[in-house]
Amino acid sequence: MARRKKIYEGKAKTLYEGPEPGTLVQYFKDDATAFNAEKRDVIEGKGVLNNRLSEYFMTGLAQIGVPTHFLKRLNMREQLIRAVEIIPLEVIVRNYAAGSMAKRLGLDEGTVLPRPIVEFSYKNDDLGDPLVPEEYIIAFGWASQQDLDDMVALALRVNDFMSGVMYGVGIKLIDFKIEIGRLYDGDFQRLVVADEISPDSCRLWDIETGEKLDKDVFRRDLGSLTDAYTEVATRLGVMPQNVTPVTKPTLIN
Ligand code: TMP
Ligand code: ASP
C-alpha cells in the first residue's frame, strides 16, 4: 500500500493528506506534552479518547449550527477533516479563574468570573504562545477586525454549548482553548472551529468534588490521565471500546 503523505506533525496530532482535495486525515497520538513540551510522556489510549471526544463535541456543535472542520471519524485514532487555513491564534474562553489567569492576577483557582472572558494567544512555540491584545492581532495582520468579532462570537457559542453539555454530566467547564480556521468558498471565507476539542484543551472539574478531569492531571501529576478522560467519556456516553490493547504484541526472536 502506498505511504500517505504527512502534511504536518504537531505535539498531539499528525495531519495526513486526505482522500479528496480539500480534506485531511487527523491522527490523534498518545503523546502528552505540557509547558511547551518541557514535560512529555506517552499516555496509552489518550489519542483514542480524544478522537472520540472531539468527534462528539464537533458533531454536537454542527447540530446547533456552529461550523467546524469535522467531517467524520474514520477509525479509533483518525478523523476526516476539511483542510482549513489555521489563524495563528489560540482563542481561550474562561468562565472561572484558573491556570495562567489565576497566576497573572493573583486569583484563587475556581473564582467565578463576572462574565465569560475571551482572550487570544499568538500561536508560536518559540515564544511560548504569548497572550496578545486585539490591537496586536489587527496591527500585525493575523486577523481583521471582522474576523475578531466573528471569532469572539464563535468562541462564546462554543462556550455555551460546552458548558451546557458538561453541566449535564456533572462537570464544570472552567475554561478552554479552540483554534479557528478559514474555509474559502470562491470569493468568500467562512471561519470554522478547527483542531480539536478535548480534555487536552479544556479545564473540567467535577461539580461535586472539584476533581480535575482534564490535562491538568498530567501537568500537575495528579493521577491517571487515562482514568480522568475515561470518566469524561463514560459520563457523556461516548466511551470507546478497547482503548488500551488487552495484550501487547511481543516480538518473537
Ligand atoms: P492557561 O490557563 O494555561 O492559559 O490555559 C487556558 C486554557 O487553554 C486551558 O483550558 C488549557 C488550554 N490550553 C491549551 O489547550 N493549550 C496550551 O498550550 C495551553 C497553555 C493551554
Ligand atoms: N500544549 C502545550 C505544550 O506542550 C502545553 C499545555 O497544554 O499545557 O506544550
Side-chain angles (χ1 to χ4, degrees):
M1 210 164 72
R3 206 170 232 296
R4 36 182 197 177
K5 192 170 161 204
K6 191 191 283 188
I7 304 289
Y8 175 80
E9 178 151 10
K11 286 178 286 215
K13 297 184 296 296
T14 306
L15 295 176
Y16 296 97
E17 198 170 59
E20 288 166 38
T23 66
L24 293 172
V25 172
Q26 178 165 258
Y27 177 96
F28 287 77
K29 302 192 277 186
D30 280 343
D31 301 28
T33 64
F35 315 118
N36 210 3
E38 268 174 41
K39 179 181 168 103
R40 50 171 75 234
D41 204 351
V42 177
I43 313 281
E44 212 173 307
K46 180 174 84 84
V48 176
L49 285 154
N50 281 352
N51 185 26
R52 278 284 184 154
L53 285 163
S54 200
E55 172 195 19
Y56 180 77
F57 299 131
M58 295 280 185
T59 307
L61 284 168
Q63 280 167 357
I64 61 159
V66 176
T68 83
H69 73 162
F70 181 82
L71 291 170
K72 69 171 180 180
R73 188 170 58 81
L74 297 170
N75 55 47
M76 299 267 280
R77 288 186 180 273
E78 295 177 328
Q79 43 185 248
L80 187 66
I81 58 169
R82 278 185 219 281
V84 301
E85 186 185 297
I86 293 284
I87 295 176
L89 297 168
E90 303 205 326
V91 185
I92 295 160
V93 183
R94 301 179 186 272
N95 299 304
Y96 301 84
S100 65
M101 173 190 252
K103 202 168 162 193
R104 192 177 313 115
L105 302 181
L107 294 168
D108 287 336
E109 289 206 307
T111 306
V112 64
L113 298 174
R115 61 179 173 87
I117 292 177
V118 182
E119 65 184 41
F120 299 91
S121 292
Y122 177 47
K123 249 174 84 73
N124 183 318
D125 280 343
D126 293 341
L127 302 174
D129 299 340
L131 184 69
V132 286
E134 296 193 6
E135 183 87 4
Y136 285 25
I137 296 171
I138 310 284
F140 291 114
W142 299 322
S144 66
Q145 184 63 57
Q146 180 65 56
D147 289 339
L148 269 181
D149 294 346
D150 292 348
M151 282 195 283
V152 169
L154 212 50
L156 290 174
R157 290 195 72 194
V158 174
N159 186 43
D160 285 346
F161 172 79
M162 291 294 294
S163 294
V165 167
M166 289 302 174
Y167 185 78
V169 295
I171 294 172
K172 224 160 41 170
L173 179 65
I174 302 297
D175 57 29
F176 66 92
K177 181 264 307 190
I178 53 170
E179 293 184 25
I180 292 177
R182 299 178 201 277
L183 253 185
Y184 293 100
D185 185 4
D187 284 346
F188 295 94
Q189 72 144 29
R190 214 156 47 106
L191 297 186
V192 305
V193 179
D195 189 51
E196 71 177 287
I197 303 179
S198 75
D200 266 13
S201 53
C202 302
R203 283 199 173 88
L204 306 169
W205 295 5
D206 180 84
I207 287 177
E208 295 292 327
T209 64
E211 186 191 355
K212 291 180 173 48
L213 299 170
D214 57 64
K215 203 165 111 180
D216 273 349
V217 171
F218 169 73
R219 293 189 189 98
R220 303 178 188 189
D221 296 317
L222 300 175
S224 159
L225 195 72
T226 317
D227 286 356
Y229 288 19
T230 301
E231 176 66 23
V232 176
T234 306
R235 289 197 201 184
L236 293 168
V238 293
M239 183 52 201
Q241 301 298 309
N242 304 322
V243 167
T244 49
V246 178
T247 52
K248 286 194 176 169
T250 48
L251 286 178
I252 298 164
N253 294 311

